[in-house]
Amino acid sequence: MCGIAGILHWGHTTDATKRVKAMADSIAHRGPDAEGFWSDASVALGFRRLSIVDLATGDQPMPNEDGTIQVVFNGEIYNHVELRRELVARGHIFRTDHSDTETIVHGYEEWGPQLLDRLNGMFAFAIWDVKNRRLTLARDRLGIKPLYIAEQHAGIVFASEIRALHASGLIEKRPNPAGIFEYFQQQNVWQGRSMFAGVKHLAPGTLHTSEAGKTTEVRYWSMRFERQAISLEEASRALRGTLGAAIERQVMADVPVM
């Protein structure tokens, strides 16, 4: 499962590292195998790990070669082997044997936000670009992995669960009546809302960027249906092939999955 947490504070929160530790502790159930932290003058990142892929060297936050890119990531990248092969051919040097997290690290170095167009997987991640002082948050196309955000006067607090936002001590715990009503009426909360005031759910297929005090959000993917006139036999064959390929990708792991 894993869990990520972080605070972007631009130097205004002197105890951000301590607060992120409390955030990570609050979601320890998501990652009982390991924890990790990294911080500088502007951001603090935390991670709780459930080890599935690359058990020995896949700990996070994970840096690039010179430490100017830092990543915390919850999920799994199913095409990480193919991405690694392409990135190595482009000159990137990997320090791990087969970590899917490291493909995000070097993929961001190579393609920037366009990396998202290449990822096949379920994910929620945060990338801190030290040189450009840029925080990038992203969520997979269908929103399988959660990522909550609360903006406050000093910056942004984010995590895999709302309880971690409140554990930071920076976000007041208040109800959002509209979100609560929506949930009881429709059994869901839409348009990025949550049942807590000031807390939003990053929408599926969305890229959130914070840089130089400016925040932007863009949808990098939306669902499209293309109608084709094919026979029942062709449709059945296509469905079997698609499901078979998806299952084969998603059972890759370094621990038993069945």
Side-chain angles (χ1 to χ4, degrees), residues 60-237:
Q60 301 179 40
M62 185 173 287
N64 61 345
E65 297 95 324
D66 61 5
T68 57
I69 302 294
Q70 298 285 338
V71 171
V72 284
F73 155 65
N74 168 32
E76 188 171 359
I77 306 302
Y78 303 132
N79 63 332
H80 70 95
V81 174
E82 297 89 336
L83 288 173
R84 176 183 288 254
R85 189 179 302 121
E86 182 177 358
L87 288 163
V88 168
R90 290 172 177 263
H92 291 267
I93 300 173
F94 284 71
R95 68 177 182 83
T96 68
D97 179 60
H98 60 287
S99 167
D100 56 344
T101 308
E102 197 170 13
T103 60
I104 297 175
V105 174
H106 294 289
Y108 177 84
E109 282 187 296
E110 183 67 32
W111 300 301
Q114 284 68 45
L115 162 69
L116 290 161
D117 297 329
R118 297 170 176 264
L119 296 180
N120 182 333
M122 54 178 181
F123 53 83
F125 61 70
I127 300 174
W128 176 241
D129 184 331
V130 176
K131 290 180 179 178
N132 294 305
R133 317 307 291 172
R134 180 192 302 129
L135 177 69
T136 298
L137 305 174
R139 194 167 173 219
D140 62 71
R141 292 168 177 81
L142 296 180
I144 299 171
K145 291 299 182 181
L147 186 56
Y148 293 92
I149 300 173
E151 298 186 37
Q152 40 102 33
H153 71 281
I156 294 172
V157 184
F158 61 90
S160 298
E161 295 187 21
I162 295 176
R163 74 178 71 195
L165 300 183
H166 292 144
S168 73
L170 297 172
I171 309 302
E172 185 180 358
K173 189 182 293 185
R174 293 186 293 111
N176 174 11
I180 294 171
F181 177 80
E182 190 172 47
Y183 179 81
F184 280 104
Q185 183 185 53
Q186 303 183 39
Q187 295 297 294
N188 209 336
V189 184
W190 306 97
Q191 302 298 321
R193 287 183 287 271
S194 79
M195 290 188 284
F196 290 88
V199 175
K200 68 177 182 179
H201 209 176
L202 186 64
T206 298
L207 171 71
H208 174 112
T209 304
S210 296
E211 183 177 11
K214 181 181 179 181
T215 297
T216 59
E217 283 190 6
V218 296
R219 289 292 295 271
Y220 67 86
W221 182 87
S222 59
M223 188 176 293
R224 297 188 304 273
F225 294 96
E226 297 179 2
R227 294 182 178 274
Q228 298 182 44
I230 60 176
S231 68
L232 180 61
E233 181 180 354
E234 290 173 316
S236 176
R237 188 163 52 246

